[in-house]
Amino acid sequence: MMDAIRVKNSGIVHLKTAGAQNAGMLYAAEAGREIPFAVKRVYFMRGMAENAVRGNHAHRTLTQAIFAAAGSFTLTLDDGATKQAVRIDDPSSGIILGPHLWTTMSEFSGDCVILVFADDYYEESEYIRDYAEFMTLINKKDA
Ligand code: TYD
């Protein structure tokens, strides 16, 4: 079981699962059902070295749902007030990454495949890649 999510603009989502151990498992995600938004983009990542670090950014508007389709990794979430690390190791359980959440991925298993559903197309101007800028934005919002 995954720890409860304590940061803002996040949460746990569960995929529909079918199958049996030796016949393999099937995981299904339907937009507006298991995934709580209309999916416009899907991407996946593989080949991360164990000591690689990815992410290190937040989004201004994007909402995503992130899964380990295979293997495991550590997801670190920071809403500017609360920071939480979650081990992602169950393909059926993913994490919602809403806007204004600084996210880092690390400690990848060798077989790790990360699968992400997003509610919009890729748009670089919508990224916040500077942590100081992220904190300024959070503090302005809370003021
Ligand atoms: P980035 O989001 O910075 O990766 P990560 O946070 O996992 O380290 O994206 C890496 C590169 O891939 C960057 O040049 C932008 C490009 N990219 C796309 O073209 N489309 C996409 O949907 C995503 C997520 C990234």
Side-chain angles (χ1 to χ4, degrees):
M1 274 295 275
M2 211 179 263
D3 287 347
I5 300 298
R6 291 178 281 105
V7 297
K8 289 181 203 159
N9 301 344
S10 186
I12 301 175
V13 285
H14 297 286
L15 297 185
K16 189 180 165 195
T17 65
Q21 274 310 338
N22 57 5
M25 295 296 294
L26 181 146
Y27 303 91
E30 295 182 324
R33 293 183 174 169
E34 292 82 8
I35 304 297
F37 51 79
V39 177
K40 271 176 107 169
R41 174 164 56 112
V42 176
Y43 60 94
F44 57 92
M45 290 173 263
R46 48 170 288 182
M48 291 76 74
E50 193 193 343
N51 63 357
V53 178
R54 300 200 57 142
N56 262 323
H57 62 246
H59 291 280
R60 295 177 203 280
T61 54
L62 192 70
T63 297
Q64 305 185 95
I66 188 167
F67 295 86
S72 59
F73 68 101
T74 299
L75 181 70
T76 305
L77 305 169
D78 175 2
D79 64 14
T82 304
K83 195 170 172 173
Q84 179 175 12
V86 189
R87 190 73 188 164
I88 309 295
D89 59 4
D90 170 3
S92 71
S93 300
I95 300 287
I96 296 293
L97 305 175
H100 299 174
L101 200 53
W102 191 268
T103 303
T104 306
M105 293 155 274
S106 61
E107 299 173 341
F108 304 98
S109 66
D111 58 348
C112 183
V113 178
I114 298 181
L115 175 65
V116 183
F117 301 92
D119 74 348
D120 211 345
Y121 301 126
Y122 172 74
E123 173 54 56
E124 182 57 39
S125 66
E126 178 280 326
Y127 278 62
I128 308 165
R129 292 192 184 273
D130 181 72
Y131 191 76
E133 185 194 339
F134 169 68
M135 287 308 292
T136 303
L137 190 78
I138 295 294
N139 292 329
K140 251 191 225 153
K141 203 178 60 172
D142 290 346

